[in-house]
Amino acid sequence: NSAGSHGIVHGFSGDYREDYYIGHNIVKGAAANSSSGIRIDDQANFISLYNNIIYDFSGTAGHGIELYNVDYGVYNNTSIDNTVGFRGPGVGSPNSYIKNNLLIDNGTDTTNASFANSATNITSDGTSPDGGAFQNQTTVKFVDRNNDDFRLAHDDTQAKNRGTALSTGQEHNFITDNMGHSRAIDGNWDIGAHEAANEIFRSMGYNNTASIQ
């Protein structure tokens, strides 16, 4: 992306009272200034952002997620290595929700946000609205952090199994992760865009070297 451009942008002026769903995307920045991975400036009825991975929007005024003038649901996104991880519209809307997001290693993880309805959002700084257990979490483990593989590692202890179930009773219900895999494969939701795999151990007989089919 170049300066002033965005990965995904949605905006209308006027009263377009519809619902929009933006999910299952991987959006990479290029450290350009005034750029965002997902930027919404809309008077829509409701916008749901879910299961997105956004990273490297690290220029001046760069944002992973940037929202204006909208009621929103922000669910199970991973926003990492951006100047700002999540910027809310700064209005106290009872119809805005932020749940299960993994907002870490950004210059600032959250800013200008209304957290009237929040649950289990992890930040690596002190800006998570969900208390000390979800703040300053700097040891979240990914499959290959150095090579931008932000799938949650099977042996993570910070985000795995700590999420809120969003399969029923929500403004937007869903049951899969960024890759289409089922959520809660071991009974609990993970935080962030990817549901960590479970490690499987198989037993082989003593001195048996045959492959397992």
Side-chain angles (χ1 to χ4, degrees):
N1 65 296
S2 58
S5 66
H6 312 287
I8 297 172
V9 61
H10 189 284
F12 286 116
S13 61
D15 189 16
Y16 295 86
R17 308 302 289 178
E18 299 179 357
D19 295 343
Y20 298 93
Y21 301 88
I22 300 173
H24 299 268
N25 299 287
I26 299 176
V27 189
K28 175 178 169 54
N33 296 333
S34 302
S35 298
S36 298
I38 300 176
R39 187 182 193 275
I40 309 296
D41 187 355
D42 200 340
Q43 297 176 10
N45 186 56
F46 189 80
I47 288 210
S48 178
L49 308 179
Y50 68 106
N51 286 340
N52 299 291
I53 298 174
I54 311 106
Y55 65 103
D56 284 356
F57 287 85
S58 56
T60 301
H63 298 80
I65 297 172
E66 185 180 17
L67 305 180
Y68 298 91
N69 303 315
V70 65
D71 289 340
Y72 60 85
V74 178
Y75 311 112
N76 280 98
N77 299 283
T78 296
S79 182
I80 185 167
D81 291 343
N82 306 293
T83 304
V84 176
F86 171 77
R87 183 203 186 279
V91 294
S93 171
N95 299 315
S96 293
Y97 306 84
I98 176 170
K99 300 178 181 180
N100 288 354
N101 294 284
L102 189 53
L103 310 165
I104 61 170
D105 294 338
N106 303 288
T108 300
D109 290 326
T110 69
T111 186
N112 205 48
S114 168
F115 294 121
N117 299 288
S118 70
T120 53
N121 299 284
I122 284 180
T123 63
S124 55
D125 61 14
T127 62
S128 171
D130 301 313
F134 296 94
Q135 297 171 352
N136 302 310
Q137 300 296 321
T138 59
T139 58
V140 175
K141 294 183 68 175
F142 297 101
V143 170
D144 191 352
R145 172 74 171 83
N146 292 333
N147 289 301
D148 298 336
D149 185 343
F150 298 117
R151 291 177 296 163
L152 197 62
H154 69 84
D155 57 345
D156 174 72
T157 60
Q158 300 300 319
K160 186 176 180 180
N161 294 333
R162 297 187 69 200
T164 299
L166 303 178
S167 54
T168 60
Q170 305 297 316
E171 321 70 38
H172 173 205
N173 302 317
F174 58 99
I175 58 173
T176 59
D177 71 356
N178 176 270
M179 299 180 67
H181 299 153
S182 296
R183 291 281 180 181
I185 55 177
D186 54 0
N188 299 288
W189 279 53
D190 296 346
I191 296 171
H194 180 256
E195 192 81 4
N198 285 330
E199 193 170 23
I200 298 174
F201 298 93
R202 292 185 173 92
S203 177
M204 298 178 65
Y206 174 73
N207 207 29
N208 186 348
T209 59
S211 62
I212 300 175
Q213 301 298 322

